[in-house]
Amino acid sequence: MANVASVNDTDFDSEVLNSKTPVVVDFWAEWCGPCKALSPLLENAAANAKGVKVVKMNIEENLETPTKFGIRSIPTLMAFKDGQLAGTMVGLRSQAELETWLGSL
């Protein structure tokens, strides 16, 4: 995905919490159907978002960060501003909802 990078437990702090711009993290897994359906919508929304970085984290390959943030259902999107959690969106959403949410950050 050109507009969406991947992060892991090791680089989460530097890529997300220490970012100068707002960051949205998509917590997902390969086996998750709604996650796969959300992926192209999020890619398109990320392409249109100005000043927001979007990253993905595979919860099966990275156990520490999802546990730290209490991820219980996927897909879960979490927005971080200035190192703080600024919003959460759970479940499959429409591209319009994603664009509106990203635009509000």
Side-chain angles (χ1 to χ4, degrees):
M1 298 177 80
N3 298 310
V4 181
S6 292
V7 294
N8 56 48
D9 286 336
T10 305
D11 65 6
F12 185 84
D13 286 359
S14 64
E15 294 294 322
V16 177
L17 299 182
N18 297 331
S19 177
K20 301 253 187 259
T21 61
V23 180
V24 172
V25 181
D26 174 17
F27 292 94
W28 70 286
E30 191 66 42
W31 50 263
C32 170
C35 298
K36 288 181 180 182
L38 180 69
S39 191
L41 302 176
L42 187 59
E43 169 77 12
N44 289 336
N48 297 325
K50 303 281 189 256
V52 178
K53 180 171 141 182
V54 179
V55 298
K56 297 175 75 67
M57 176 175 277
N58 185 322
I59 64 162
E60 291 192 317
E61 296 172 358
N62 302 281
L63 303 176
E64 184 180 313
T65 304
T67 300
K68 178 180 175 182
F69 289 101
I71 302 300
R72 296 183 189 273
S73 180
I74 54 172
T76 292
L77 302 176
M78 287 188 157
F80 293 87
K81 279 184 177 178
D82 300 319
Q84 300 296 315
L85 182 61
T88 302
M89 187 179 278
V90 179
L92 181 59
R93 301 299 178 105
S94 71
Q95 183 159 344
E97 287 177 289
L98 292 170
E99 288 178 358
T100 299
W101 192 57
L102 291 177
S104 73
L105 298 174

